[in-house]
Amino acid sequence: MSDRSASGEGAPAGYRERPASRLPGAQIWTRPAGGGPEEDTRVLPDGCMDLIWHEAADGLLVAGPDTRAHTSRSTPDAGWAGLRLPPGVAPALLGVPAHELRDRRVPLAEVLPLTRARRLTARVDRATDRGAALERIALELAGEPPDPLCQAVAAGLRRGRPVAELADEVALSPRQLHRRALAAFGYGPKTLARVLRLRAALPLITSGRPLAEVAAATGYADQAHLTREVRALTGLPPGRLRSHPAGTAA
């Protein structure tokens, strides 16, 4: 999936997402104030990074790529909006290697100059459509394009190609590819492959398909392998994910 899903408590009330209009593969998500009770949301790894506006925060936030489930506290009196950027895209916009933000949520002012970060935050504060405002900011931040080599590797990993084969195809040693992937995705290609395989398996798990079928369809060795990987990356066994479907971000 390309969305950063939550599980355990399901999607917070009022949560919505839509494709970004001018950033291919990006998603805009929102949760207005008053959208429901205070609750914890389990955000699952997806390889993405998010630019986030939160009504109660002093400035925009950046959510780095996750290697494990992250718990986010949603409060009913503060609205949220976010722009979820597909793997490898945000580092080119922000000018910071993804691995420096791995498993972190940091103020944008730690990534960009303070004055600029405050100016961008003020623009989103004033906007009627805060998700669209975040997209416009991302387009303005665009500097170097995402690493085309790493984008090709990510596409191959989504198709289940072995990392060693992909390294040979792009004429890099495994160590060189690992270094490029750390900057683009926040972790090496083997970890990205695990995360992308999880993303492919999640909708099948929550749809109720037998776990042995899910494992065979998404590249796991067997059902036991699927169960181990799901638990390692989400903190929950597949049965818990099935009873509390994924579907939010923050």
Side-chain angles (χ1 to χ4, degrees), residues 106-129:
V106 303
L108 183 64
E110 290 189 17
V111 178
L112 298 180
L114 177 60
T115 300
R116 189 178 190 191
R118 285 178 172 171
R119 186 171 65 248
L120 296 176
T121 298
R123 283 175 52 187
V124 182
D125 286 340
R126 294 191 302 266
T128 302
D129 184 337

